[in-house]
């Protein structure tokens, strides 16, 4: 059979683009090729099972290549994506930071409604890994044929959910350039001398990634200590900047655990504690502003004996405590890698794709959507926003 449109990859961007093609062109036959035993496996894992499917504040500057995403984002805004979701029957809610979730609070609802609509529209799903793709007069896809192809195979992140990087191999063989691929939105491994004892403890703060003296990036939010290093949303966001490092082993993370306070405020807090309770053991000095375990680690780093009473601490001790609290440094050793990362930094070189149609400039009739392109963003619904908006643009088949 010669299909009008073959979508390769049944993840978020593949399912949305298949639905949109069929809605735009009801007469066209549409097939989705998915290598796993079911479509949309990754969708179920997103947002800790809640699927943070969009962000109402998403703008071009939230992405690594603003000028490329600009057209798609202006045409398919978050607002318009919500209308798309509503058309499937999915009601959504958004929080104070613009993060959009299904009203049911369940990622399964998102996948169910996508599946119901593909069935409703008569979209065929073939569970088969695409291993051969070439263009002659038409596209040859394994033993199938199609007039147009939408590539939506994702990147290399979380390969257990299907995105094993095979889309890059297929496109590489067809002459596309694939930029450097690295795990992004991923936990960062560091020297563990101080973090080990803090496993499972969370703080809020600001992280700065530096290569020697050069700042590579800054993120704010929750930091979760782990026995291998740092996790939590602020860490995942910071991991995006590691790709900027010439030598990642020369990078350090500086954690400010009091970015909401001035140094003066922290110092006067410490002096007040000393005045009010001079016989209190140092162990408890920071208990009012940080988890106790973190306070203890700060003192350990400064070699202050935990059993010392705070009445014996000097102004110099307090200044050192403030410095450490605001600038706790961790030597970066790497990341947890693609198996744990949420997105892939790098992908199909954007210079080879028309940003107004998402059609390849090298192969007529080949469209690209979602993470397979060299586009990524931070946590908060921005990556699924791109998956959906780019899928809707590709589905116009306007090349
Ligand atoms: C744990 C986790 C949580 C996340 N949470 C969020 C979140 O809450 N909000 C957010 O915005 N983003 C989140 N992300 C990122 C987001 O899920 C991705 O950016 C998005 O799913 C990318 O969509 P995609 O369709 O381009 O690729 P994918 O979702 O990776 O889908 C690609 C599909 O193609 C199939 N495929 C690949 N190669 C082939 C082949 N050769 N033949 C046939 N089929 C193939 C795969 O099996 C897969 O089903 C999360 C990611 C992870 C891993």
């Amino acid at each position: 059979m010669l299909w009008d449109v073959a979508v390769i990859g049944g993840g978020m961007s593949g399912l949305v683009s298949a639905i949109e093609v069929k809605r735009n062109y009801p007469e066209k036959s549409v097939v989705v090729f998915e290598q796993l035993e079911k479509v949309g496996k990754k969708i179920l894992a997103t947002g800790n099972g809640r699927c943070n499917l969009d962000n109402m504040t998403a703008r071009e500057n939230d992405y690594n290549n603003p000028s490329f995403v600009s057209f798609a984002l202006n045409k398919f805004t978050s607002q318009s994506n919500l209308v798309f979701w509503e058309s499937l029957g999915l009601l959504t809610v958004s929080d104070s930071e613009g993060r959009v979730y299904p009203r049911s609070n369940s990622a399964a609802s998102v996948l169910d409604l996508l599946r119901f609509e593909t069935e409703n529209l008569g979209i065929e799903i073939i569970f088969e890994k695409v291993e051969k793709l070439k263009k002659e007069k038409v596209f040859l896809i394994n033993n199938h044929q199609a007039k147009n192809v939408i590539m939506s195979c994702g990147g290399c992140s979380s390969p257990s959910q299907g995105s094993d990087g095979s889309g890059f191999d297929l496109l590489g063989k067809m002459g596309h350039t694939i930029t450097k691929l690295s795990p992004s939105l991923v936990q960062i491994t560091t020297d563990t001398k101080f973090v080990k004892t803090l496993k499972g403890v969370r703080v809020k703060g600001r992280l700065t990634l530096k290569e020697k003296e050069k700042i590579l990036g800054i993120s704010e939010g929750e930091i979760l200590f782990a026995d291998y290093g740092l996790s939590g949303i602020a860490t995942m966001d910071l991991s995006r900047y590691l790709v900027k490092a010439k030598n990642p082993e020369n990078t350090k993370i500086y954690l400010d655990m009091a970015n909401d306070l001035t140094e003066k405020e922290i110092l006067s807090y410490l002096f007040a504690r000393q005045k009010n309770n001079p016989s209190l053991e140092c162990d408890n000095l920071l208990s009012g502003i940080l988890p106790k375990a973190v306070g203890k680690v700060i003192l350990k780093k400064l070699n202050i004996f935990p059993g010392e009473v705070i009445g014996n601490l000097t102004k110099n001790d307090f200044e050192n405590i403030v410095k450490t609290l605001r600038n706790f440094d961790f030597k970066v050793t790497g990341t947890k890698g693609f198996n744990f990362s949420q997105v892939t930094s790098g992908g199909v070189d954007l210079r080879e794709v028309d940003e107004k149609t998402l059609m390849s400039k090298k192969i007529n009739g080949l469209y690209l959507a979602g993470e397979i392109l060299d586009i990524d963003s931070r946590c908060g619904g921005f990556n699924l926003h791109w998956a959906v908006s780019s899928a809707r643009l590709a589905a116009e088949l306007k090349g």
Side-chain angles (χ1 to χ4, degrees):
M1 158 142 191
L2 174 64
W3 299 92
D4 289 314
V5 182
V7 175
I8 305 181
M12 180 62 97
S13 59
L15 294 174
V16 172
S17 60
I19 290 169
E20 286 283 87
V21 168
K22 200 67 190 163
R23 286 177 170 183
N24 293 337
Y25 306 99
E27 73 290 355
K28 286 197 192 299
S29 55
V30 180
V31 61
V32 176
F33 290 96
E34 170 53 52
Q35 65 173 332
L36 297 182
E37 69 292 352
K38 355 182 215 211
V39 291
K41 197 171 168 200
K42 194 184 284 176
I43 295 172
L44 297 176
T46 56
N48 284 326
R50 293 172 63 210
C51 188
N52 175 195
L53 76 167
D54 210 315
N55 193 300
M56 299 310 290
T57 70
R59 299 288 177 273
E60 55 201 53
N61 285 332
D62 294 309
Y63 296 84
N64 60 321
N65 196 316
S67 61
F68 186 87
V69 298
S70 174
F71 186 84
L73 262 53
N74 283 318
K75 186 150 191 190
F76 298 103
T77 59
S78 312
Q79 203 61 51
S80 109
N81 288 350
L82 294 199
V83 175
F84 167 79
W85 288 115
E86 216 176 312
S87 75
L88 299 187
L90 186 84
L91 299 191
T92 55
V93 289
S94 58
D95 69 12
S96 59
E97 289 178 54
R99 291 182 288 231
V100 179
Y101 294 91
R103 192 176 181 282
S104 65
N105 240 342
S106 163
S109 300
V110 179
L111 180 55
D112 280 347
L113 288 158
L114 285 166
R115 283 193 305 104
F116 299 153
E117 190 63 1
T118 54
E119 281 164 27
N120 181 35
L121 293 170
I123 293 164
E124 179 110 8
I125 307 222
I126 298 180
F127 291 97
E128 187 174 307
K129 177 170 182 146
V130 173
E131 291 178 299
K132 286 189 207 138
L133 177 65
K134 69 178 184 185
K135 171 108 195 253
E136 290 182 350
K137 245 184 177 169
V138 293
F139 287 92
L140 308 177
I141 308 153
N142 294 347
N143 297 322
H144 310 271
Q145 298 187 349
K147 292 182 193 161
N148 293 281
V149 162
I150 299 179
M151 280 299 273
S152 52
C153 301
C156 304
S157 297
S158 288
S160 62
Q161 286 148 350
S163 42
D164 58 2
S166 55
F168 296 132
D169 298 337
L170 294 170
L171 291 175
K173 284 185 191 138
M174 291 180 88
H176 268 291
T177 312
I178 310 301
T179 63
K180 187 175 167 230
L181 303 168
S182 335
S184 188
L185 301 192
V186 63
Q187 301 85 346
I188 299 179
T189 57
T190 66
D191 61 299
T192 52
K193 186 170 172 203
F194 293 106
V195 286
K196 240 183 191 156
T197 54
L198 294 178
K199 184 182 172 191
V201 176
R202 291 166 199 272
V203 290
K204 284 215 162 154
R206 176 187 294 140
L207 295 173
T208 304
L209 178 71
K210 283 190 187 174
E211 184 168 21
K212 304 228 164 110
E213 285 318 302
K214 189 176 170 210
I215 295 182
L216 301 180
I218 294 176
S219 68
E220 284 184 17
E222 189 176 84
I223 296 109
L224 170 64
F225 295 101
D227 49 4
Y228 54 78
L230 301 175
S231 179
I233 288 182
T235 308
M236 310 283 265
D237 281 341
L238 196 77
S239 68
R240 292 183 68 210
Y241 303 111
L242 271 174
V243 295
K244 288 193 194 167
K246 287 201 183 97
N247 181 1
E249 273 148 33
N250 279 339
T251 56
K252 272 190 170 185
I253 293 174
Y254 296 84
L255 166 59
D256 181 350
M257 294 178 253
N259 56 318
D260 53 337
L261 300 170
T262 63
E263 301 209 354
K264 213 172 145 198
E265 281 169 335
I266 311 169
L267 268 179
S268 55
Y269 169 84
L270 296 178
F271 282 121
R273 298 285 293 138
Q274 188 179 46
K275 194 170 165 212
N276 289 347
N277 199 347
S279 58
L280 190 73
E281 289 189 342
C282 285
D283 243 12
N284 299 308
L285 174 64
L286 295 169
S287 297
I289 50 172
L290 285 173
K292 185 170 174 179
V294 179
K296 274 178 155 178
V297 166
I298 289 174
L299 297 182
K300 189 171 168 203
K301 197 162 195 247
L302 292 170
N303 290 322
I304 297 175
F305 176 58
E308 183 74 77
V309 292
I310 62 178
N312 289 343
L313 294 185
T314 63
K315 182 166 180 260
N316 193 35
D317 288 329
F318 280 169
E319 281 169 354
N320 285 336
I321 289 171
V322 175
K323 261 190 220 149
T324 311
L325 182 72
R326 303 221 61 161
N327 229 5
F328 204 113
D329 61 313
F330 303 90
K331 188 174 171 0
V332 175
T333 56
T335 71
K336 291 286 277 175
F338 280 118
N339 284 349
F340 292 85
S341 74
Q342 293 199 357
V343 297
T344 299
S345 152
V348 174
D349 194 322
L350 302 176
R351 288 170 298 189
E352 299 172 355
V353 181
D354 175 14
E355 78 269 20
K356 295 204 168 89
T357 60
L358 297 186
M359 192 174 86
S360 159
K361 289 180 186 167
K362 291 187 169 250
I363 303 148
N364 211 33
L366 177 79
Y367 295 82
L368 301 104
E371 213 179 300
I372 198 160
L373 288 159
D374 177 9
I375 294 296
D376 66 272
S377 184
R378 58 195 160 97
C379 296
F382 299 95
N383 288 298
L384 284 175
H385 176 73
W386 171 247
V388 173
S389 297
S390 61
R392 297 180 68 198
L393 180 58
E396 291 187 333
L397 303 176
K398 288 258 173 75

